[in-house]
Amino acid sequence: MANNRGGYNFNNVEEIKSRCNIVDVIGRVVTLKKAGSSYKGLCPFHSEKTPSFTVDEGRQTYKCFGCGEGGDVISFVQKYYSLDFMEAMEQLAKEYGIELKTGGNASDGRQSKEFYEINRLAARFFYKALREHNNPGYTYMRRRGMTDETLNTFGIGYADDEWTSLTDHLVEQGYDPKKLVEVGLSSEKDGRFYDKFRGRVIFPIINTGSKVIGFGGRIIADGEPKYLNSRESSAFLKRNNLYGLNVTKDYVRKENRIILVEGYMDVVSLYQAGVRNVSASLGTALTDNQARLIKRYTSDVILSYDADEAGQKATLRGLDVLYDEDLRAKVLVVTDGKDPDEFIKAKGRDAYLELADSALPYGDYKLMKAEEPYDLNNSEQKLKYIRDALKILRGMKPVEADMYLGMLAQKTGISEQAIRQEFENGKVNKSENALGSAIAREEEYKNDISEAEQQLLKLMLLDSDYTKLPDDIKDDVFSDRVSSGLYQAILAEDKGERPLNMERITDQIDAEGTQLLALVMSKIIPGDRESEIFEDCIRFIRLQKLKKEEAHIRARLRDQALGKEEAAKLMQRQIEIQKLIKG
């Protein structure tokens, strides 16, 4: 029976409770101070001078021992803002980037709860494995300079190189191995189940509500992929979470700025070195939801990504995401081409913080990167730089753009009047082209590729398992040039790790392929329905194959020159096909 409080399904309630940390929500309106394992403050619901209002982060509840008010994060928002249940849900969902769905049933919520519990047990298993006996994982982390205290703080563990250690352990706890595949801890082949994480140091990914939502695994020996992440599920959506923030969020608040890095080891190394207002974006390009999550703790963000080409591209994309969310974004430029982990070990905390204090603001960094390909002593190249710079400035807020226009004029030796005129002309042209751009987007990819094939391509981008198509349809999928090109590009980049490098994929496809990729990327596939949708797509493609064969047979049967024996065989096959289609 549907549990549909106020029109929203049970899973919405559970997702809000799991993702909206009650300390963060209440801390915006009540000054909370740490008191043991809880937080205390003055009750917002009655007048008092001595704090009797307690927030329990572990249980995600609040209680006032003065007036008796208590409950969870939703009931607090209801009471404090004088909202009904639905309004409180909608407010929290908007703040945390959660999509509310009507209908549904309680099994959705129970599945998320079960996933959290399975992940918790897996985290304990990995944690013990790193500490109970000599193992390559502990040796590796000690060699990287990690102390026992740091390993314990982040709950770091070890997955041995046996094939079924974790799977066997969780099956003994009563869990169906197919459920472990859904969570992303096990894989299945030919009816046999085996561990997804083997021979790796394990970094549990814990949300700000203290729930284990997934894992990242760093390979110890030689091999690929170097890092392996949990697949997405109803419990684990990478775009909504940041690694390490469960540990560092109080330091972020205290420093009133966050340093964003790329990898697990960057977070752990910086934290151990004393730079504790740090977090990482789970190996994905920074998302709008991650930016909104940051905004709950601070408005000042320093990007400290790797110095390689991929890291610099990620920096530029991340800057735009942060800027669009009205966050003050800067870029820490690490010298000597080192990543943050390497730099802080070589130079130390103080040297790293000096770089952080001198980080380049959004506009400065973007203009610096725009200048790099050009020689400003060459008139033609100077002109190209000015045009690139003006494109950047047109995307900025008016006051900021005005400041940089003067700086651009001074840098290039072109009169400020001419620079400003070019800037305004570009804005007019942009406006004139808006309708054409909108029409182009509307018609950008008229294709004959079925929805099933588009969904398959999206699934392949999400998880390597879905690149393996059944033999009976392998030659019948992606038969046109554009979809085939994109499919081959995905296969070429597939090393088992996600996310794939989109830059390298787009380098392998043409303009139409890029349009198709954009269309595919816009598809939304719920993490807990990936396997189901994959099977639906395969069934649809098999059905279309049968229908195509039947149409071919009908055409053959109309041939007057067809012999009786061959006609009989074709009609028999037609009957078989019709039964398969109906069945």
Side-chain angles (χ1 to χ4, degrees), residues 57-75:
E57 187 169 26
R59 293 188 176 91
Q60 289 291 297
T61 58
Y62 71 93
K63 177 72 177 177
C64 178
F65 295 96
C67 66
E69 280 292 338
D72 59 23
V73 67
I74 300 174
S75 60

Side-chain angles (χ1 to χ4, degrees), residues 239-432:
R239 66 181 178 274
N240 296 332
N241 295 279
L242 293 166
Y243 175 72
L245 193 58
N246 62 302
V247 173
T248 66
K249 61 183 186 295
D250 289 339
Y251 296 104
V252 172
R253 280 200 187 100
K254 183 179 177 182
E255 297 287 337
N256 194 27
R257 74 179 182 185
I258 188 171
I259 296 174
L260 275 186
V261 293
E262 283 190 62
Y264 305 117
M265 280 302 302
D266 292 327
V267 172
V268 175
S269 293
L270 291 178
Y271 183 92
Q272 180 170 287
V275 180
R276 299 198 161 175
N277 53 326
V278 62
S279 188
S281 54
L282 294 172
T284 61
L286 193 68
T287 68
D288 296 342
N289 283 354
Q290 288 170 332
R292 294 183 194 114
L293 175 59
I294 291 167
K295 206 170 184 178
R296 287 155 46 192
Y297 302 97
T298 182
S299 294
D300 289 348
V301 186
I302 295 176
L303 290 177
S304 180
Y305 288 171
D306 292 356
D308 60 14
E309 185 180 356
Q312 295 311 296
K313 286 182 178 178
T315 297
L316 289 167
R317 290 193 295 268
L319 279 173
D320 290 334
V321 170
L322 295 167
Y323 189 83
D324 289 344
E325 289 296 326
D326 291 323
L327 289 160
R328 291 184 290 274
K330 294 183 177 181
V331 179
L332 185 157
V333 181
V334 175
T335 55
D336 305 326
K338 297 181 184 295
D339 62 31
D341 172 34
E342 293 170 333
F343 182 90
I344 205 157
K345 284 174 180 171
K347 307 282 187 178
R349 172 181 178 272
D350 291 345
Y352 185 83
L353 289 178
E354 281 182 22
L355 291 180
D357 291 338
S358 59
L360 293 176
Y362 171 84
D364 290 36
Y365 183 80
K366 293 204 76 173
L367 289 173
M368 180 189 79
K369 297 303 287 185
E371 182 186 343
E372 282 182 357
Y374 301 115
D375 175 6
L376 299 193
N377 293 316
N378 179 293
S379 299
E380 186 178 352
Q381 291 194 39
K382 183 190 291 188
L383 183 59
K384 288 179 180 178
Y385 164 65
I386 291 171
R387 286 174 177 165
D388 286 352
L390 290 176
K391 285 179 186 177
I392 293 169
L393 299 187
R394 289 185 194 108
M396 294 173 66
K397 297 175 180 67
V399 173
E400 290 174 283
D402 186 77
M403 178 183 72
Y404 282 109
L405 285 169
M407 292 168 60
L408 182 62
Q410 188 174 16
K411 184 177 190 65
T412 58
I414 305 296
S415 75
E416 189 169 333
Q417 182 181 359
I419 292 281
R420 289 184 180 278
Q421 186 175 347
E422 185 74 16
F423 177 78
E424 294 299 330
N425 288 343
K427 286 166 67 176
V428 171
N429 292 338
K430 188 176 179 181
S431 175
E432 289 172 349

Side-chain angles (χ1 to χ4, degrees), residues 99-112:
E99 181 185 359
L100 292 178
K101 299 174 184 176
T102 56
N105 55 61
S107 64
D108 296 330
R110 284 196 296 269
Q111 176 174 269
S112 292

